[in-house]
Amino acid sequence: MKKLFNNTWLMLACMAMTAVFTACEPEKVIDEDEKNLAFLCGSESIKSGSTYTSTTLDPTYLEMGMTRFVPGIDLVGDANGKVVVTVKSLNKAMVEMCAFGGCQMTLPYLEYTASASGDITADTPLPLDIHYTPTGEGAHRAVALITAYYEGYEKDAVSFTLVMTNAKVE
């Protein structure tokens, strides 16, 4: 009986030590002073309130004789949490955003607004996969207001105007 008791304590001690040594880094949570979001295009930061123009086209679509703008916008935050991202087409172009496991398009019956929400990991860029696929030939232009905020912190929202165009940029 004494041997069983000693073995049980030894096993519990080993389990406790294993838990201590394999503990994960504590989750970074949203703090009142630390809930900042930023938009990126590659390594370039996009300032909130600014206008960013992209002429980047998807080469696969070009090979098929089609035009698809793919600006490559990412969202990055400094804390883990749930974020809300909204795309509002300012010129009634149908812009699509594929993020958080689904795609939403700025359609007329949604007042040309698409919104998605999901979790973001601190300091890890989240691709928003915003794109615009116009029809017809010639010059095309989509203008959209992109907004993001941590859920419950709408007052701290960041936004910028995205212009996707193959027209001459002046």
Side-chain angles (χ1 to χ4, degrees), residues 89-106:
S89 177
L90 301 178
N91 66 339
K92 298 183 179 180
M94 288 191 271
V95 178
E96 188 171 34
M97 171 180 60
C98 295
F100 308 112
C103 294
Q104 294 77 31
M105 186 172 279
T106 60

PDB file of all heavy atoms in Angstrom, residues 89-106:
ATOM      1  N   SER A  89     -18.403  49.983 -51.416  1.00  0.00           N
ATOM      2  CA  SER A  89     -18.088  50.515 -52.739  1.00  0.00           C
ATOM      3  C   SER A  89     -18.646  51.927 -52.836  1.00  0.00           C
ATOM      4  O   SER A  89     -19.833  52.159 -52.621  1.00  0.00           O
ATOM      5  CB  SER A  89     -18.689  49.637 -53.829  1.00  0.00           C
ATOM      6  OG  SER A  89     -18.443  50.201 -55.098  1.00  0.00           O
ATOM      7  N   LEU A  90     -17.775  52.877 -53.164  1.00  0.00           N
ATOM      8  CA  LEU A  90     -18.176  54.276 -53.250  1.00  0.00           C
ATOM      9  C   LEU A  90     -18.634  54.673 -54.652  1.00  0.00           C
ATOM     10  O   LEU A  90     -19.206  55.751 -54.836  1.00  0.00           O
ATOM     11  CB  LEU A  90     -17.025  55.181 -52.795  1.00  0.00           C
ATOM     12  CG  LEU A  90     -16.544  54.933 -51.354  1.00  0.00           C
ATOM     13  CD1 LEU A  90     -15.375  55.847 -51.023  1.00  0.00           C
ATOM     14  CD2 LEU A  90     -17.677  55.111 -50.354  1.00  0.00           C
ATOM     15  N   ASN A  91     -18.384  53.799 -55.638  1.00  0.00           N
ATOM     16  CA  ASN A  91     -18.819  54.098 -57.009  1.00  0.00           C
ATOM     17  C   ASN A  91     -19.675  52.961 -57.592  1.00  0.00           C
ATOM     18  O   ASN A  91     -19.758  52.797 -58.801  1.00  0.00           O
ATOM     19  CB  ASN A  91     -17.623  54.403 -57.912  1.00  0.00           C
ATOM     20  CG  ASN A  91     -16.718  53.207 -58.127  1.00  0.00           C
ATOM     21  OD1 ASN A  91     -16.725  52.266 -57.340  1.00  0.00           O
ATOM     22  ND2 ASN A  91     -15.920  53.252 -59.188  1.00  0.00           N
ATOM     23  N   LYS A  92     -20.302  52.191 -56.713  1.00  0.00           N
ATOM     24  CA  LYS A  92     -21.223  51.109 -57.080  1.00  0.00           C
ATOM     25  C   LYS A  92     -20.573  49.985 -57.886  1.00  0.00           C
ATOM     26  O   LYS A  92     -21.244  49.242 -58.588  1.00  0.00           O
ATOM     27  CB  LYS A  92     -22.449  51.647 -57.805  1.00  0.00           C
ATOM     28  CG  LYS A  92     -23.255  52.601 -56.944  1.00  0.00           C
ATOM     29  CD  LYS A  92     -24.506  53.063 -57.645  1.00  0.00           C
ATOM     30  CE  LYS A  92     -25.283  53.999 -56.733  1.00  0.00           C
ATOM     31  NZ  LYS A  92     -26.499  54.475 -57.358  1.00  0.00           N
ATOM     32  N   ALA A  93     -19.257  49.840 -57.765  1.00  0.00           N
ATOM     33  CA  ALA A  93     -18.569  48.697 -58.371  1.00  0.00           C
ATOM     34  C   ALA A  93     -18.754  47.499 -57.432  1.00  0.00           C
ATOM     35  O   ALA A  93     -18.845  47.666 -56.220  1.00  0.00           O
ATOM     36  CB  ALA A  93     -17.087  49.006 -58.546  1.00  0.00           C
ATOM     37  N   MET A  94     -18.837  46.322 -58.005  1.00  0.00           N
ATOM     38  CA  MET A  94     -19.003  45.133 -57.174  1.00  0.00           C
ATOM     39  C   MET A  94     -17.628  44.592 -56.778  1.00  0.00           C
ATOM     40  O   MET A  94     -16.962  43.928 -57.561  1.00  0.00           O
ATOM     41  CB  MET A  94     -19.866  44.113 -57.890  1.00  0.00           C
ATOM     42  CG  MET A  94     -21.312  44.565 -57.919  1.00  0.00           C
ATOM     43  SD  MET A  94     -22.465  43.324 -58.460  1.00  0.00           S
ATOM     44  CE  MET A  94     -22.441  43.628 -60.208  1.00  0.00           C
ATOM     45  N   VAL A  95     -17.243  44.906 -55.552  1.00  0.00           N
ATOM     46  CA  VAL A  95     -15.955  44.521 -54.993  1.00  0.00           C
ATOM     47  C   VAL A  95     -16.196  43.334 -54.071  1.00  0.00           C
ATOM     48  O   VAL A  95     -17.186  43.290 -53.345  1.00  0.00           O
ATOM     49  CB  VAL A  95     -15.335  45.705 -54.203  1.00  0.00           C
ATOM     50  CG1 VAL A  95     -14.023  45.308 -53.562  1.00  0.00           C
ATOM     51  CG2 VAL A  95     -15.146  46.908 -55.118  1.00  0.00           C
ATOM     52  N   GLU A  96     -15.286  42.376 -54.101  1.00  0.00           N
ATOM     53  CA  GLU A  96     -15.435  41.183 -53.262  1.00  0.00           C
ATOM     54  C   GLU A  96     -14.303  41.115 -52.241  1.00  0.00           C
ATOM     55  O   GLU A  96     -13.166  41.467 -52.533  1.00  0.00           O
ATOM     56  CB  GLU A  96     -15.431  39.914 -54.121  1.00  0.00           C
ATOM     57  CG  GLU A  96     -15.767  38.664 -53.338  1.00  0.00           C
ATOM     58  CD  GLU A  96     -15.969  37.450 -54.233  1.00  0.00           C
ATOM     59  OE1 GLU A  96     -15.281  37.336 -55.274  1.00  0.00           O
ATOM     60  OE2 GLU A  96     -16.813  36.614 -53.897  1.00  0.00           O
ATOM     61  N   MET A  97     -14.655  40.644 -51.034  1.00  0.00           N
ATOM     62  CA  MET A  97     -13.675  40.405 -49.985  1.00  0.00           C
ATOM     63  C   MET A  97     -13.850  38.962 -49.516  1.00  0.00           C
ATOM     64  O   MET A  97     -14.953  38.538 -49.198  1.00  0.00           O
ATOM     65  CB  MET A  97     -13.896  41.340 -48.794  1.00  0.00           C
ATOM     66  CG  MET A  97     -13.044  40.976 -47.586  1.00  0.00           C
ATOM     67  SD  MET A  97     -13.278  42.069 -46.150  1.00  0.00           S
ATOM     68  CE  MET A  97     -15.015  41.875 -45.790  1.00  0.00           C
ATOM     69  N   CYS A  98     -12.735  38.212 -49.512  1.00  0.00           N
ATOM     70  CA  CYS A  98     -12.754  36.837 -49.026  1.00  0.00           C
ATOM     71  C   CYS A  98     -11.847  36.767 -47.796  1.00  0.00           C
ATOM     72  O   CYS A  98     -10.621  36.808 -47.925  1.00  0.00           O
ATOM     73  CB  CYS A  98     -12.276  35.867 -50.097  1.00  0.00           C
ATOM     74  SG  CYS A  98     -13.382  35.818 -51.534  1.00  0.00           S
ATOM     75  N   ALA A  99     -12.458  36.707 -46.629  1.00  0.00           N
ATOM     76  CA  ALA A  99     -11.712  36.660 -45.370  1.00  0.00           C
ATOM     77  C   ALA A  99     -12.532  35.896 -44.338  1.00  0.00           C
ATOM     78  O   ALA A  99     -13.759  35.791 -44.467  1.00  0.00           O
ATOM     79  CB  ALA A  99     -11.431  38.074 -44.873  1.00  0.00           C
ATOM     80  N   PHE A 100     -11.859  35.376 -43.351  1.00  0.00           N
ATOM     81  CA  PHE A 100     -12.503  34.644 -42.257  1.00  0.00           C
ATOM     82  C   PHE A 100     -13.298  33.433 -42.765  1.00  0.00           C
ATOM     83  O   PHE A 100     -14.329  33.079 -42.229  1.00  0.00           O
ATOM     84  CB  PHE A 100     -13.422  35.562 -41.439  1.00  0.00           C
ATOM     85  CG  PHE A 100     -12.762  36.816 -40.968  1.00  0.00           C
ATOM     86  CD1 PHE A 100     -13.139  38.057 -41.470  1.00  0.00           C
ATOM     87  CD2 PHE A 100     -11.748  36.762 -40.024  1.00  0.00           C
ATOM     88  CE1 PHE A 100     -12.519  39.214 -41.036  1.00  0.00           C
ATOM     89  CE2 PHE A 100     -11.121  37.919 -39.584  1.00  0.00           C
ATOM     90  CZ  PHE A 100     -11.515  39.149 -40.088  1.00  0.00           C
ATOM     91  N   GLY A 101     -12.827  32.820 -43.829  1.00  0.00           N
ATOM     92  CA  GLY A 101     -13.443  31.582 -44.316  1.00  0.00           C
ATOM     93  C   GLY A 101     -14.630  31.763 -45.238  1.00  0.00           C
ATOM     94  O   GLY A 101     -15.318  30.796 -45.555  1.00  0.00           O
ATOM     95  N   GLY A 102     -14.904  32.970 -45.709  1.00  0.00           N
ATOM     96  CA  GLY A 102     -16.028  33.181 -46.612  1.00  0.00           C
ATOM     97  C   GLY A 102     -15.802  34.393 -47.482  1.00  0.00           C
ATOM     98  O   GLY A 102     -14.878  35.175 -47.261  1.00  0.00           O
ATOM     99  N   CYS A 103     -16.666  34.550 -48.493  1.00  0.00           N
ATOM    100  CA  CYS A 103     -16.556  35.684 -49.407  1.00  0.00           C
ATOM    101  C   CYS A 103     -17.855  36.488 -49.380  1.00  0.00           C
ATOM    102  O   CYS A 103     -18.944  35.923 -49.338  1.00  0.00           O
ATOM    103  CB  CYS A 103     -16.298  35.197 -50.829  1.00  0.00           C
ATOM    104  SG  CYS A 103     -14.697  34.390 -51.019  1.00  0.00           S
ATOM    105  N   GLN A 104     -17.694  37.804 -49.409  1.00  0.00           N
ATOM    106  CA  GLN A 104     -18.833  38.716 -49.453  1.00  0.00           C
ATOM    107  C   GLN A 104     -18.590  39.713 -50.572  1.00  0.00           C
ATOM    108  O   GLN A 104     -17.471  40.166 -50.767  1.00  0.00           O
ATOM    109  CB  GLN A 104     -18.992  39.489 -48.129  1.00  0.00           C
ATOM    110  CG  GLN A 104     -19.353  38.628 -46.927  1.00  0.00           C
ATOM    111  CD  GLN A 104     -18.172  37.850 -46.387  1.00  0.00           C
ATOM    112  OE1 GLN A 104     -17.041  38.290 -46.465  1.00  0.00           O
ATOM    113  NE2 GLN A 104     -18.428  36.669 -45.866  1.00  0.00           N
ATOM    114  N   MET A 105     -19.681  40.074 -51.257  1.00  0.00           N
ATOM    115  CA  MET A 105     -19.564  41.014 -52.369  1.00  0.00           C
ATOM    116  C   MET A 105     -20.429  42.240 -52.093  1.00  0.00           C
ATOM    117  O   MET A 105     -21.485  42.135 -51.483  1.00  0.00           O
ATOM    118  CB  MET A 105     -19.995  40.355 -53.673  1.00  0.00           C
ATOM    119  CG  MET A 105     -19.768  41.237 -54.895  1.00  0.00           C
ATOM    120  SD  MET A 105     -20.048  40.376 -56.443  1.00  0.00           S
ATOM    121  CE  MET A 105     -18.509  39.530 -56.632  1.00  0.00           C
ATOM    122  N   THR A 106     -19.976  43.400 -52.553  1.00  0.00           N
ATOM    123  CA  THR A 106     -20.728  44.648 -52.394  1.00  0.00           C
ATOM    124  C   THR A 106     -21.813  44.695 -53.469  1.00  0.00           C
ATOM    125  O   THR A 106     -21.587  45.177 -54.564  1.00  0.00           O
ATOM    126  CB  THR A 106     -19.793  45.872 -52.519  1.00  0.00           C
ATOM    127  OG1 THR A 106     -19.180  45.857 -53.805  1.00  0.00           O
ATOM    128  CG2 THR A 106     -18.722  45.867 -51.452  1.00  0.00           C
TER     129      THR A 106
END
